[in-house]
């Protein structure tokens, strides 16, 4: 089943007021920590370092209110922020949520968003610990994620790929792009392709893989937010190496192929250049860490190749 | 001198592109930490707790591009976020900046904003460590601040005011409201009143007073963001006490009186009900900590009184 569409009726945020709206958010995503000038976080292990990242989602640009639900937007906002925390090898601890919303926004939109955030945070054993709420012409959501990097191993930085290492991935590649294309086509999508749409609405990654990769001595890591070639290209450039992917390892699966046939699109385009899968992409001198699979090698040279040839597609997302 | 107005010409963010714009931000507010999936922060003292808060600023609601400069908006965004960190007794360490901006935004707007953020961060020995940049219909800025709470003393929470304590303040009260009123009046403001306008454009607080108040064993603290009576009212309600202010201690000074006469406004309205001064307001059983002055007492009862009488003004800011 595909759930989509934002509620358009019911009491608005102006009806219940700022405090009523904040109460609804806290009820949907409860935390003992929330409610003071700032949130105080307790690290699980002594001498942890703090890891932080932020992402902003703008209605009509990062999500289409006709094609998703507030709950899914909330889940996705957490996944994309926590993927950046995990990409350092850290454990997500907490999220902060700032919302700018028109006065006419149904309270149910904000509630759904907070429920999605709260539910996804819970799966990571994290909490929504604070935020800000303000009026505005459009719905804009800004999520900040804070994580904890315990122990003495270094963080998994973009410049730590080394020639000869294995390139490994955790999560689907190309699903989100295919799902978006299916939604944009405005067709009656066959049920077997619904997982692609779900992956676009809110990608599902298993929490904790970033910490596992770091424990298994991965060195560089990022997440596929702007496209496979774009994001691995960043690791390649920052590390001064090339990355050669195996076409067999990343080839479109049956679902991507079927969606490609249906829409008359080469599914390799989704695999290589569409983003928002938030697949964890790492390099390691050892075996693929638990939950990861090998997709290529770190090589001498520069940029990303597929079977030693330039990729057919490779443009990632640009904001302007 | 009053500086105001956003640049309206020159190359736009679309002209230089997303990466060019990010480069300009990083050049204006440099940090060694910035540039990976997430920022890794090093705490100065072992076993510090992490403190986090976020605030969103919407063009036309939180700042008027005709009445301020991007540099001032940047400074103010840092002050208001760092005041929330300081209000816990913590030291601000880092800021994250998410911006949604129309494609037509002059790059100079984003540069000015980042310069203001970078300069104000530097005064706190903090850094802009990460962010996000996206398109959007309006300029929306979301700043997240992260601080460090070292040592074993408790954080300065809203519910820790105790009957018999002194109420103390660091910073101006009512200046920002008066400055806004002067700007809104559209008059030629006499030079001696410019400090009020500056206080509205970007309030100046001395960094580090929050840590000092905690070391001096203050118990509760907040900052005056929504109005003196509103914010002290929150401490009173959460602590189950009353707060009685001394009219002599908080009386409008010569500048506020002069602005009041000029605009035919009772300056007490600015003192009691206007926000955005980000004055640190604390309660303590001891003397006023260095940089703070006494303004009242924690008493039995509820709500905020002035010389034991209900305040004449007291409505704070509401988003909806």
């Amino acid at each position: 089943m595909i759930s989509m569409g934002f509620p358009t009726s019911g009491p608005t945020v102006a009806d219940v007021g700022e405090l009523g709206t904040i109460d609804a958010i806290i009820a949907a995503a409860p935390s003992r920590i929330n409610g003071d000038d700032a949130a105080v976080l307790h690290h699980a292990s002594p001498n942890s370092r703090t890891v932080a990242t932020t992402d902003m989602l703008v209605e009509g640009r990062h999500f289409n209110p006709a094609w998703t639900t507030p709950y899914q937007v909330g889940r996705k906002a957490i996944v994309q922020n926590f993927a950046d925390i995990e990409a350092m090898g850290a454990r997500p601890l907490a999220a902060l949520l700032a919302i700018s919303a028109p006065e006419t926004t149904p309270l149910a939109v904000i509630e759904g968003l907070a429920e999605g955030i709260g539910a996804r945070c819970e799966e990571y054993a994290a909490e929504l610990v604070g935020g800000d709420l303000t009026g505005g012409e459009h719905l804009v959501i800004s999520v900040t994620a804070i994580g904890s990097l315990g122990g003495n191993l270094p963080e998994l930085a973009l410049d730590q790929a080394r020639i000869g290492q294995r390139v490994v991935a955790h999560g689907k590649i190309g699903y989100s792009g295919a799902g978006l294309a299916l939604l944009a086509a405005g067709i009656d999508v066959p049920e077997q392709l619904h997982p692609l749409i779900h992956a676009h609405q809110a990608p599902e990654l298993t929490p904790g893989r970033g910490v596992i990769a770091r424990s298994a001595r991965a060195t560089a890591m990022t997440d596929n937010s702007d496209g496979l070639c774009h994001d691995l290209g960043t690791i390649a450039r920052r590390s001064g190496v090339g990355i050669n992917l195996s076409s067999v390892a990343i080839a479109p699966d049956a679902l991507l192929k079927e969606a490609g046939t249906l829409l008359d699109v080469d599914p390799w385009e989704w695999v290589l250049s569409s983003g928002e899968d938030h697949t964890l992409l790492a390099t390691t001198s050892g075996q693929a860490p638990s939950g990861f699979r090998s997709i290529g090698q770190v090589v001498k040279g520069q940029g990303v190749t597929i079977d030693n040839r330039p990729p057919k597609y490779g443009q990632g997302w640009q904001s302007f």
Side-chain angles (χ1 to χ4, degrees), chain A residues 86 89-92 148 156 208-216 221 280:
Chain A
E86 295 229 44
R91 185 173 97 67
S148 181
L156 305 188
R209 292 294 158 190
V211 170
I212 286 173
R214 180 164 172 254
S215 305
M221 186 149 61
L280 288 177

Side-chain angles (χ1 to χ4, degrees), chain A residues 11-12 22-23 28 38 152 161 168 214 258 305:
Chain A
T12 67
I22 292 172
D23 285 347
N152 295 317
V168 298
R214 180 164 172 254
E258 189 179 336
T305 51

